[in-house]
């Protein structure tokens, strides 16, 4: 129904313009300026919410349907690295990275889809309710921008977050809680050749801890991983310190507490047995959310996808997104797939059809929202 309103070639041009802009986490100034220009050209008011390390872009496109509540659209501006010096190809089927960098379709394809959707609204004068747009920064560094977002400035109680890979149609109904941690193991230094018996090898103690704590897939909804190990200064010195950095995630609050105690208690027990010290710091990165498939917003988006000729698929994810933060703040936020493939790799791509269909879903959701939800 709304497909003819989308300018396919302009959508691709917008996406490739954004791809050419290097936008690492905390380095979003250039892409933010480009997006502000695009959104203002589509009739949006735009402001930047500064928070020190970077900023969030917040925009509003006023609607003409006063009985329709506002709808929030969100994507993130930053990409993982490397993206400097990016090269890519565009053909009739897809946009692909061709060099030793990622493409940045995560999440620039979503940015382009949102920009084109609101541009189509503006030039076709399609009636709609208020649209709030949030483009966050440093999502790839632990949802930093979303965590610093001024939620007091937002009126929306429903949000579409475009930040899930795979073909169009996936609706993320659940995501886990994630904790990260650092364990600093302290032993005792000594000369490795002259008096090694006077030392206490912190790396060996750390190795015992690593071998003993839970790792990998713990159960269907719980994972744990150690990703960084650092220690030692030279081969002739018994290392006095080692650092272990890891994480654990679960969809279950009870399992999060169980795995947390298991990892930390195991580390303390082994360190004590070896006469070493271990200092543990932890950080909750985000909280789990779950949206029931009977929820009105889920049902609405299920219908939107079906009306676009796309098969809806409800899915759980093991990763986090800004949707975790939005849901934590009382906004029912669905993370939806927007077509990006092989993300976080040098084989990243998105098909032109998925880029188009993702935009079609957004535009259809905007226009249809007022038919299903009325302003309180």
């Amino acid at each position: 129904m709304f497909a003819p309103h989308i300018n396919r070639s302009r959508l691709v041009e917008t996406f490739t313009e954004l791809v050419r802009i290097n936008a690492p986490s905390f380095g979003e100034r250039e892409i933010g300026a480009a997006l502000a220009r695009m959104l203002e050209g589509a009739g949006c008011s735009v402001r930047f919410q500064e928070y020190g390390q970077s900023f969030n872009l917040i925009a509003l496109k006023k609607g003409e349907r006063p009985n329709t509540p506002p709808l929030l659209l969100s994507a993130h501006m930053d990409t993982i690295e490397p993206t400097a010096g990016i090269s890519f190809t565009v053909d009739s089927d897809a946009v692909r990275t061709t060099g030793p960098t990622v493409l940045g379709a995560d999440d620039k394809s979503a940015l382009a889809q949102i920009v084109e959707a609101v541009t189509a609204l503006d030039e076709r004068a399609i009636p709609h309710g208020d649209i709030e747009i949030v483009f966050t920064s440093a999502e790839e560094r632990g949802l930093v921008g979303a965590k610093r977002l001024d939620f007091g400035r937002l009126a929306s109680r429903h949000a579409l977050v475009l930040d899930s890979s795979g073909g169009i149609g996936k609706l993320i109904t659940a995501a886990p809680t994630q904790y990260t941690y650092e364990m600093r193991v302290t032993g005792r230094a000594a000369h490795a050749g002259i008096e090694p018996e006077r030392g206490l090898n912190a790396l060996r103690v750390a190795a015992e801890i690593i071998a003993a704590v839970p790792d990998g897939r713990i159960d269907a909804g719980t994972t744990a991983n150690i990703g960084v190990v650092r220690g030692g200064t030279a081969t002739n010195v018994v290392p006095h310190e080692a650092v272990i950095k890891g994480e654990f995630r679960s969809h279950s609050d009870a399992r999060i507490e169980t795995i947390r105690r298991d990892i930390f208690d195991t580390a303390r027990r082994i360190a004590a047995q070896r006469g070493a010290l271990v200092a543990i710091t932890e950080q909750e990165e985000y909280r789990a959310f779950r949206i029931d498939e009977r929820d009105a917003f889920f049902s609405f988006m299920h219908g939107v996808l079906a009306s676009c000729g796309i098969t809806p698929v409800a899915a759980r994810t093991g990763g986090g997104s800004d949707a975790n933060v939005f849901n934590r703040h009382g906004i029912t936020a669905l993370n939806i797939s927007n077509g990006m493939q092989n993300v976080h790799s040098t084989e990243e791509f998105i098909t032109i059809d998925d880029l188009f269909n993702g935009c079609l879903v957004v535009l259809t959701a905007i226009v249809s929202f007022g038919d299903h939800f009325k302003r309180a």
Side-chain angles (χ1 to χ4, degrees), residues 215-224 249-252 255-256 259 316:
D215 180 69
R217 175 71 62 187
I218 310 303
D219 59 40
T222 308
T223 61
R249 311 177 187 214
S250 184
H251 287 262
S252 163
R255 290 295 286 145
I256 274 286
I259 200 75
R316 299 200 319 171

Short mmCIF file of all heavy atoms in Angstrom, two decimals, residues 215-224 249-252 255-256 259 316:
data_model
loop_
_atom_site.label_atom_id
_atom_site.label_comp_id
_atom_site.label_asym_id
_atom_site.label_seq_id
_atom_site.Cartn_x
_atom_site.Cartn_y
_atom_site.Cartn_z
N ASP A 215 31.56 -21.50 31.78
CA ASP A 215 31.97 -20.87 30.53
C ASP A 215 31.09 -21.37 29.39
O ASP A 215 30.66 -22.53 29.38
CB ASP A 215 33.44 -21.19 30.23
CG ASP A 215 33.92 -20.55 28.95
OD1 ASP A 215 34.05 -19.31 28.92
OD2 ASP A 215 34.17 -21.28 27.97
N GLY A 216 30.83 -20.49 28.42
CA GLY A 216 30.09 -20.90 27.24
C GLY A 216 28.59 -20.92 27.48
O GLY A 216 28.03 -20.13 28.25
N ARG A 217 27.90 -21.85 26.83
CA ARG A 217 26.45 -21.99 26.97
C ARG A 217 26.15 -22.74 28.25
O ARG A 217 26.45 -23.92 28.39
CB ARG A 217 25.89 -22.75 25.78
CG ARG A 217 24.41 -23.08 25.86
CD ARG A 217 23.51 -21.90 25.71
NE ARG A 217 23.66 -21.23 24.41
CZ ARG A 217 23.07 -20.09 24.10
NH1 ARG A 217 22.29 -19.47 24.99
NH2 ARG A 217 23.24 -19.55 22.91
N ILE A 218 25.57 -22.05 29.23
CA ILE A 218 25.25 -22.66 30.52
C ILE A 218 23.90 -23.37 30.43
O ILE A 218 23.74 -24.50 30.89
CB ILE A 218 25.22 -21.61 31.63
CG1 ILE A 218 26.50 -20.75 31.59
CG2 ILE A 218 25.06 -22.28 32.99
CD1 ILE A 218 27.79 -21.50 31.69
N ASP A 219 22.91 -22.70 29.88
CA ASP A 219 21.61 -23.31 29.58
C ASP A 219 21.02 -22.53 28.41
O ASP A 219 21.69 -21.68 27.82
CB ASP A 219 20.69 -23.34 30.81
CG ASP A 219 20.41 -21.96 31.39
OD1 ASP A 219 20.23 -21.00 30.59
OD2 ASP A 219 20.36 -21.81 32.61
N ALA A 220 19.78 -22.81 28.06
CA ALA A 220 19.19 -22.21 26.87
C ALA A 220 19.17 -20.70 26.91
O ALA A 220 19.25 -20.04 25.86
CB ALA A 220 17.77 -22.74 26.67
N GLY A 221 19.11 -20.11 28.11
CA GLY A 221 19.02 -18.66 28.21
C GLY A 221 20.18 -18.01 28.93
O GLY A 221 20.11 -16.81 29.25
N THR A 222 21.26 -18.76 29.18
CA THR A 222 22.35 -18.24 30.00
C THR A 222 23.70 -18.55 29.36
O THR A 222 23.94 -19.69 28.94
CB THR A 222 22.31 -18.85 31.41
OG1 THR A 222 21.01 -18.67 31.97
CG2 THR A 222 23.35 -18.20 32.32
N THR A 223 24.58 -17.55 29.30
CA THR A 223 25.93 -17.74 28.78
C THR A 223 26.94 -17.04 29.68
O THR A 223 26.59 -16.14 30.45
CB THR A 223 26.09 -17.17 27.36
OG1 THR A 223 25.82 -15.75 27.39
CG2 THR A 223 25.15 -17.85 26.38
N ALA A 224 28.20 -17.47 29.56
CA ALA A 224 29.30 -16.81 30.27
C ALA A 224 30.54 -16.87 29.40
O ALA A 224 30.72 -17.80 28.61
CB ALA A 224 29.57 -17.50 31.62
N ARG A 249 25.45 -13.52 30.96
CA ARG A 249 24.13 -13.04 30.54
C ARG A 249 23.09 -14.11 30.83
O ARG A 249 23.38 -15.29 30.76
CB ARG A 249 24.10 -12.74 29.04
CG ARG A 249 25.22 -11.90 28.50
CD ARG A 249 25.11 -11.73 27.00
NE ARG A 249 26.29 -11.07 26.45
CZ ARG A 249 26.29 -10.25 25.42
NH1 ARG A 249 25.14 -9.99 24.80
NH2 ARG A 249 27.39 -9.69 24.99
N SER A 250 21.88 -13.66 31.08
CA SER A 250 20.77 -14.61 31.22
C SER A 250 19.44 -13.89 31.05
O SER A 250 19.30 -12.71 31.39
CB SER A 250 20.80 -15.31 32.58
OG SER A 250 19.77 -16.28 32.64
N HIS A 251 18.48 -14.64 30.54
CA HIS A 251 17.10 -14.15 30.47
C HIS A 251 16.40 -14.28 31.82
O HIS A 251 15.32 -13.71 32.00
CB HIS A 251 16.32 -14.95 29.42
CG HIS A 251 16.70 -14.61 28.01
ND1 HIS A 251 15.98 -13.72 27.24
CD2 HIS A 251 17.73 -15.02 27.23
CE1 HIS A 251 16.54 -13.61 26.05
NE2 HIS A 251 17.61 -14.39 26.02
N SER A 252 16.99 -15.02 32.74
CA SER A 252 16.39 -15.29 34.04
C SER A 252 17.12 -14.52 35.14
O SER A 252 18.33 -14.64 35.28
CB SER A 252 16.44 -16.79 34.35
OG SER A 252 16.23 -17.05 35.71
N ARG A 255 18.80 -17.03 37.46
CA ARG A 255 20.02 -17.61 36.90
C ARG A 255 21.16 -16.62 36.91
O ARG A 255 22.33 -16.99 37.10
CB ARG A 255 19.76 -18.12 35.49
CG ARG A 255 18.88 -19.34 35.42
CD ARG A 255 19.57 -20.55 36.08
NE ARG A 255 20.64 -21.07 35.25
CZ ARG A 255 21.78 -21.58 35.73
NH1 ARG A 255 22.01 -21.57 37.03
NH2 ARG A 255 22.68 -22.06 34.91
N ILE A 256 20.85 -15.34 36.70
CA ILE A 256 21.90 -14.31 36.77
C ILE A 256 22.55 -14.32 38.14
O ILE A 256 23.78 -14.29 38.27
CB ILE A 256 21.31 -12.91 36.46
CG1 ILE A 256 21.31 -12.67 34.96
CG2 ILE A 256 22.10 -11.79 37.14
CD1 ILE A 256 22.66 -12.38 34.33
N ILE A 259 24.67 -17.64 38.59
CA ILE A 259 25.94 -17.66 37.85
C ILE A 259 26.90 -16.63 38.42
O ILE A 259 28.12 -16.84 38.46
CB ILE A 259 25.68 -17.43 36.34
CG1 ILE A 259 26.87 -17.93 35.52
CG2 ILE A 259 25.42 -16.00 36.02
CD1 ILE A 259 26.95 -19.41 35.40
N ARG A 316 13.78 -14.71 20.51
CA ARG A 316 14.58 -14.23 21.63
C ARG A 316 16.00 -14.00 21.12
O ARG A 316 16.44 -14.62 20.16
CB ARG A 316 14.62 -15.25 22.77
CG ARG A 316 13.28 -15.55 23.36
CD ARG A 316 13.37 -16.15 24.75
NE ARG A 316 14.43 -17.14 24.92
CZ ARG A 316 14.80 -17.65 26.11
NH1 ARG A 316 14.18 -17.25 27.19
NH2 ARG A 316 15.74 -18.55 26.20
#
